[in-house]
Amino acid sequence: MSLRFLSAALACLVCTSARAGEIPPDQRRSGYELMSRETRAIQDDDTTNPGMLWVLDGEALWNRKAGTADRACAACHGDARTSMKGVAARYPAFDAALGRPVNLEQRINFCRTGRQKAPPLAFESRELLALTAYVARQSRDLPINIAIDARNKPFLDAGSEAFHRRQGQLNLACSQCHDDNWGKRLAGSLIPQAHPTGYPLYRLEWQGLGSLERRLRNCLIGIRAEPHAYGAPEFVDLELYLMWRANGMKVETPAVRP
Amino acid sequence: MTTRREFLVLAATSLAVPEAARAQLDPNLAANRKAAFQEALHGIVGDTQVRRGRVKLQLPPLIDNGNSVPFSVVVESPMTEADYVRAIHVLTEKNPLPDVVSVRLSPRAGRATLSTRVRLADTQTVTAIAQMSDGSFWSDSAEVVVTLSACLEEGLI
Amino acid sequence: MARAVVTMPAQAKRGEIVEIKTLAQHPMETGFRRTQTGELIPRDIIRRFTCTYNGVEVYRADLHPAIAANPLISFTTVASESGALTFQWTGDNSYTVTEIAPIRVE
C-alpha cells in the first residue's frame, strides 16, 4: 500500500503541472463537489449523516455541568444557536494572552480549564470532537471569515510558507497537489483543493469524526513527513492559512468525506 | 498517534494488502470465499430454486470508499396477510464473511424495503434475496466497483 | 455515550405507510482488523436491531460485520394505532440502546 502511494505520488509529480500557483477565487471548489452523488447525499441529509451523532453528543455536553466550577457551557453562553453562530467561521483566531492564534478545539479547552475548572479534553477525544462539532455546526452555511491584521499576519505567512514548502521523504509541497493538481486522481482518490470547510468531519476512511489536524496528519504521513503533535503551533499556522485561503466559502460542519 | 515507523508496520500488515495481492499469497482465497458464499446461500434457501425478479437491489456502480456503501432493497409485494415478504437477506461474494444483513418483516411493514450501508472489501457482486410468504425465493444482484479498498488504515491519504 | 437517533413522523393517518430512519453510534469492529503490533482486534458489533409497535415486533434485522460503522437502518411500517414505537439495538459486550418514539394516528 505504501508502495502504491509512492508510485502514485511520483506519477503525480511527473504529470506536468497543468496549473501552477494559487487557485483563482471563482475556481475554488469544496471537497464536497468532488465527491460522488451518494457521498454527497450522506452529508446533505441530517437524518442519515453519521456526523450528527457527534453533534448531538456535543449538544448534551454543552448543557452538562462540569469541573469544580460546576458550570455548563450553556450557563455562560446560553443558547449555542445564537451565541456560537459564526464563531467557527472565524477560527483559528488570535488569542491576546498567548500572543498567537488558537484553533477552535484549543479555544474550547481554554473554557474547560479556565472557566469550568475542569481538566482539558484530549485532542481527538469523543468529547472534544463532539463539542467542537456542535459549536461549528452553528456556523453551517455561513461564509468562512478570517480577518488578517498585523497581529495575525506573521502566523498566516508561516502557514503559507509551510503549504508551499517541499517536505518529507517524497519532497512534495501541499501546493503541488492541492493548487497545481487538484481534480486529478492519486491512486483511488481525487485530489481536492484542500479547503477546510467541513471540520470536524465524518471521513468514511476513518469510520468516525475527526479534526482538521487529523486530516493534515494523514497528508503529512502520506508524503513521509513527520507529523506535528496535535495543537502544535505549526499546525495552527497551517490551519489559519487554509481557512484564510477558503475565505468566503461556506462552512459545512459536520461534512462527510471519502 | 501514528509515527512514521508505526505507519510502515501498519502498511505491512495483511489488512492493508489489497485483495489482488492477498489472492496471490493465498491461492485458495477465491475458492474459499466462493464456497463460503455458496454455504451461506444454502443456509438461507436450502434446496429451493431462487428466481430472478421481484427484488430490486440499488447500489451505486462506482463509490468513493468501500467503508460505507449505501444501498437499498425493494421487493415487489402487496404486503397483505395472504401475500407478503417474510425476509430479505443480503450477501457479498468477496468480503471475509458473505453475510451482510438479514431482515424479518411482516405485512405490518407496509412495504418490503431496507436501506443501509455496507463495507465492501473489493470490486464485487452483491446479492439480495427475498423470501415470500409462499416460501418462494427471489433475488437481484449488482456489481460495484470499489476504487479504494475498505481496508486502508489511517496514515494513508 | 452510546447514542441512537430515530427520525419518523410524530403523527400519521390510519393505514399510512410511514418511513423510519435510524442511526446508531457504534464502531462495528469487524474482528478482522489488527492493531499496529499485529494483534487481532476482537469483534464488537451490533448483532440485532428490532422495532416493536405497541409491543408487537414489526421489523427486525440481524447485522453482520459487513455493516458499516454507525449503522443506518431505514424501513417502513403501517401506522395502525396511536402509541409508541420502541427501537432496540443489541450486540457484543452487552451493548443495548433503546429509543422510544411516540406516534399519533388519526
Side-chain angles (χ1 to χ4, degrees):
Chain A
M1 200 57 48
S2 52
L3 269 181
R4 190 180 75 169
F5 178 84
L6 242 165
S7 51
L10 292 179
C12 169
L13 247 190
V14 173
C15 62
T16 48
S17 321
R19 332 178 187 78
E22 259 129 61
I23 302 165
D26 63 328
Q27 282 173 34
R28 287 185 310 174
R29 304 273 180 276
S30 158
Y32 173 89
E33 294 179 61
L34 297 177
M35 309 195 299
S36 71
R37 194 162 50 96
E38 287 75 19
T39 312
R40 273 184 273 151
I42 300 177
Q43 172 172 326
D44 290 343
D45 183 353
D46 271 356
T47 66
T48 61
N49 179 343
M52 286 307 290
L53 292 164
W54 277 259
V55 171
L56 292 170
D57 275 347
E59 184 176 22
L61 289 170
W62 178 265
N63 292 303
R64 189 178 303 162
K65 288 181 184 174
T68 53
D70 203 27
R71 305 197 74 175
C73 318
C76 294
H77 293 289
D79 189 343
R81 282 173 301 183
T82 46
S83 65
M84 290 293 132
K85 194 172 174 179
V87 170
R90 300 192 267 101
Y91 273 76
F94 192 80
D95 183 89
L98 277 186
R100 56 161 295 110
V102 296
N103 66 23
L104 191 55
E105 284 88 346
Q106 292 171 318
R107 188 65 196 76
I108 289 171
N109 257 337
F110 289 166
C111 275
R112 274 278 298 182
T113 53
R115 309 272 171 188
Q116 293 183 310
K117 311 284 177 211
L121 298 167
F123 286 108
E124 296 315 286
S125 63
R126 270 211 86 78
E127 291 85 356
L128 188 54
L129 285 171
L131 273 170
T132 311
Y134 179 62
V135 169
R137 172 73 174 78
Q138 313 310 325
S139 298
R140 197 195 254 182
D141 291 331
L142 295 177
I144 291 174
N145 180 20
I146 301 286
I148 296 299
D149 56 20
R151 296 180 308 171
N152 261 349
K153 186 74 168 54
F155 304 98
L156 179 80
D157 290 344
S160 170
E161 192 274 327
F163 190 79
H164 295 94
R165 172 175 22 103
R166 286 171 175 263
Q167 51 182 323
Q169 285 172 22
L170 298 192
N171 197 30
L172 282 171
C174 317
S175 57
Q176 282 179 285
C177 282
H178 293 299
D179 277 345
D180 304 345
N181 284 298
W182 65 267
K184 292 187 185 149
R185 281 200 175 272
L186 180 66
S189 344
L190 273 173
I191 302 176
Q193 295 181 350
H195 296 302
T197 45
Y199 291 85
L201 58 70
Y202 191 91
R203 196 171 171 216
L204 302 182
E205 182 56 34
W206 296 331
Q207 310 186 50
L209 208 77
S211 69
L212 175 56
E213 290 194 359
R214 182 170 178 196
R215 175 65 254 198
L216 299 183
R217 289 174 66 89
N218 287 183
C219 274
L220 283 168
I221 293 168
I223 55 175
R224 305 289 147 72
E226 199 64 59
H228 318 294
Y230 282 105
E234 293 88 337
F235 257 155
V236 180
D237 294 348
L238 197 48
E239 284 173 75
L240 178 68
Y241 172 73
L242 289 173
M243 284 292 279
W244 172 82
R245 184 171 164 268
N247 253 348
M249 297 178 78
K250 286 189 175 135
V251 175
E252 298 167 41
T253 311
V256 175
R257 293 289 182 270
Chain B
M1 288 181 201
T2 317
T3 66
R4 191 165 59 229
R5 212 169 60 85
E6 285 164 341
F7 163 70
L8 291 173
V9 173
L10 196 69
T13 63
S14 66
L15 269 176
V17 179
E19 180 74 19
R22 229 184 304 144
Q24 275 180 351
L25 296 175
D26 178 5
N28 295 326
L29 189 76
N32 290 345
R33 296 248 159 115
K34 200 167 175 165
F37 177 83
Q38 290 303 335
E39 198 181 312
L41 184 64
H42 191 263
I44 293 165
V45 307
D47 295 322
T48 317
Q49 201 209 328
V50 183
R51 280 176 278 183
R52 290 218 139 234
R54 293 188 66 175
V55 181
K56 181 113 195 70
L57 169 63
Q58 219 156 15
L59 264 160
L62 193 91
I63 49 98
D64 292 326
N65 188 301
N67 276 340
S68 186
V69 182
F71 72 90
S72 68
V73 183
V74 181
V75 188
E76 256 174 62
S77 164
M79 292 303 272
T80 58
E81 285 299 334
D83 182 2
Y84 65 94
V85 178
R86 206 180 288 240
I88 300 171
H89 307 271
V90 180
L91 301 177
T92 58
E93 286 183 348
K94 289 189 184 168
N95 275 2
L97 292 174
D99 299 282
V100 176
V101 60
S102 287
V103 163
R104 306 266 153 209
L105 56 179
S106 73
R108 293 197 54 177
R111 276 199 287 269
T113 66
L114 161 70
S115 298
T116 180
R117 299 171 185 144
V118 61
R119 293 177 167 133
L120 295 175
D122 204 349
T123 294
Q124 57 178 313
T125 303
V126 180
T127 301
I129 301 158
Q131 181 185 18
M132 308 298 178
S133 51
D134 67 1
S136 65
F137 287 98
W138 298 79
S139 81
D140 188 20
S141 297
E143 159 103 8
V144 201
V145 177
V146 178
T147 48
L148 211 88
S149 165
C151 302
L152 284 179
E153 274 292 349
E154 172 167 17
L156 292 158
I157 283 200
Chain C
M1 281 197 290
R3 177 181 287 279
V5 219
V6 172
T7 312
M8 60 169 243
Q11 64 183 80
K13 294 208 169 63
R14 191 175 308 278
E16 189 182 331
I17 297 174
V18 294
E19 214 181 303
I20 302 167
K21 290 181 192 167
T22 69
L23 264 183
Q25 200 161 37
H26 199 288
M28 293 297 282
E29 190 58 58
T30 61
F32 297 113
R33 299 202 311 159
R34 285 176 191 279
T35 62
Q36 296 181 354
T37 49
E39 292 137 73
L40 213 54
I41 305 172
R43 192 191 73 180
D44 179 13
I45 65 167
I46 297 174
R47 314 267 347 238
R48 175 164 287 184
F49 164 78
T50 58
C51 169
T52 53
Y53 191 151
N54 288 344
V56 181
E57 183 178 291
V58 291
Y59 201 86
R60 180 173 100 205
D62 289 313
L63 312 187
H64 296 274
I67 290 291
N70 304 301
L72 161 80
I73 300 173
S74 167
F75 59 99
T76 58
T77 196
V78 179
S80 50
E81 60 199 354
S82 293
L85 278 76
T86 304
F87 304 86
Q88 192 163 61
W89 294 258
T90 51
D92 297 334
N93 304 311
S94 3
Y95 178 87
T96 306
V97 170
T98 308
E99 280 288 323
I100 297 171
I103 185 165
R104 214 174 75 230
V105 176
E106 280 141 16

